Amino acid sequence: MDLRNLNAMIKILRDYYRTFRKPSVTQISQRFKDPFHVLISCVLSQRTKDQTTAEASQRLFSLAPSLMRLAQLPVKKIERAIYPVGFYRTKAKTIKLAANDIMMRFQGIVPDDLDCLLSLKGVGRKTANLVLTLGFNKLGICVDTHVHRISNRFGFVVTKTPHDTEMALRKTLPKKFWIGGLQTGNRDMVLDKNLKINLAKLKDLRYGENPHQASAFYVEDGNSGFEQLWGI
């Protein structure tokens, strides 16, 4: 990874990121300041629109403001509260199992260890990293499909999977950029049709040796989605 212009590039993206509404999980983390709420809202957010996640989280937390109360809720009641999030029946069972697991194995306290979080039902690396960063203010790198693809287009990494991208970024990305540094935020940002990033500045920056980098910048009639902008 060529880090010579990394600060400038991250600044451009962060300035652009601030023009968007914060993702629902981020808002929930700032409102409740509790890893429990971050964990559950993050599970709900998987394959679900941001607004739907926010509304479902609010309904569920009104019924179960604590982990103990959530563990006591019947699955059917959780289903009704979180509908229509994607795969709501599966998620209701997952949330119930995770809540019971935390009560039994971790004395009712969401663990602040990556491996422990990954041992919970329904928790993958992205969710675990989000809980660490937003719930505990610890270092982490949250990599989803968008971060994976954009990181490759920028030339930060040359990888084939989100997991490989996270591992590569952990090795090469300065830790000051880990928390929120490369998170794409919400779907509105990814699909923005009036991208206001200064393309001229980004075109002048050179990153890595990704063979696809030359085609990573293009815009058609001034209107292009975030991923389309980078030729993904």
Side-chain angles (χ1 to χ4, degrees):
M1 181 189 297
D2 186 343
L3 302 178
R4 289 173 297 178
N5 295 314
L6 185 59
N7 284 315
M9 175 267 174
I10 292 292
K11 183 180 185 304
I12 292 172
L13 290 179
R14 281 181 171 169
D15 288 346
Y16 179 64
Y17 176 84
R18 293 189 184 99
T19 68
F20 285 83
R21 178 179 54 83
K22 293 179 181 178
S24 59
V25 177
T26 300
Q27 293 184 46
I28 289 169
S29 72
Q30 294 174 344
R31 175 184 175 187
F32 292 99
K33 303 183 186 304
D34 182 349
F36 154 65
H37 292 88
V38 176
L39 171 61
I40 300 305
S41 62
C42 194
V43 172
L44 293 176
S45 73
Q46 298 165 10
R47 303 292 182 89
T48 301
K49 291 182 178 179
D50 207 54
Q51 184 61 34
T52 303
T53 297
E55 294 169 355
S57 296
Q58 182 175 348
R59 290 192 298 271
L60 182 59
F61 293 146
S62 67
L63 293 174
S66 68
L67 187 64
M68 180 181 294
R69 182 69 185 105
L70 180 60
Q72 295 170 345
L73 282 183
V75 171
K76 287 295 183 182
K77 199 163 188 178
I78 298 175
E79 286 182 5
R80 289 193 294 270
I82 67 176
Y83 178 85
V85 301
F87 307 100
Y88 71 96
R89 289 191 177 92
T90 299
K91 287 180 181 177
K93 296 175 183 176
T94 296
I95 288 170
K96 174 77 172 180
L97 288 172
N100 286 331
D101 199 10
I102 294 172
M103 293 298 300
M104 294 179 63
R105 289 202 291 137
F106 301 105
Q107 294 74 51
I109 300 174
V110 177
D112 62 351
D113 175 79
L114 182 63
D115 290 332
C116 290
L117 286 167
L118 290 172
S119 73
L120 297 172
K121 181 73 172 177
V123 176
R125 295 197 67 87
K126 177 189 174 183
T127 296
N129 275 290
L130 270 176
V131 173
L132 290 178
T133 57
L134 297 181
F136 292 101
N137 198 32
K138 288 191 169 186
L139 290 176
I141 297 180
C142 307
V143 178
D144 60 8
T145 300
H146 303 300
V147 173
H148 163 62
R149 295 163 79 180
I150 291 170
S151 294
N152 273 271
R153 282 299 182 184
F154 281 155
F156 288 161
V157 297
V158 181
T159 55
K160 293 184 178 180
T161 68
H163 179 272
D164 291 344
T165 295
E166 181 193 336
M167 295 301 104
L169 289 173
R170 282 179 176 273
K171 291 180 180 178
T172 58
L173 189 69
K175 288 188 176 181
K176 66 179 179 178
F177 296 127
W178 281 27
I179 297 180
L182 289 175
Q183 296 173 32
T184 55
N186 57 31
R187 183 177 175 84
D188 294 335
M189 177 177 176
V190 174
L191 298 180
D192 179 35
K193 297 302 181 182
N194 297 287
L195 195 58
K196 295 183 178 64
I197 289 180
N198 190 322
L199 296 181
K201 289 183 179 179
L202 286 176
K203 284 181 180 179
D204 289 339
L205 300 178
R206 297 291 183 267
Y207 302 99
E209 298 179 353
N210 189 329
H212 299 294
Q213 184 181 353
S215 63
F217 297 93
Y218 81 90
V219 63
E220 185 176 334
D221 298 327
N223 295 302
S224 180
F226 192 71
E227 290 192 10
Q228 290 176 319
L229 176 71
W230 309 116
I232 297 174

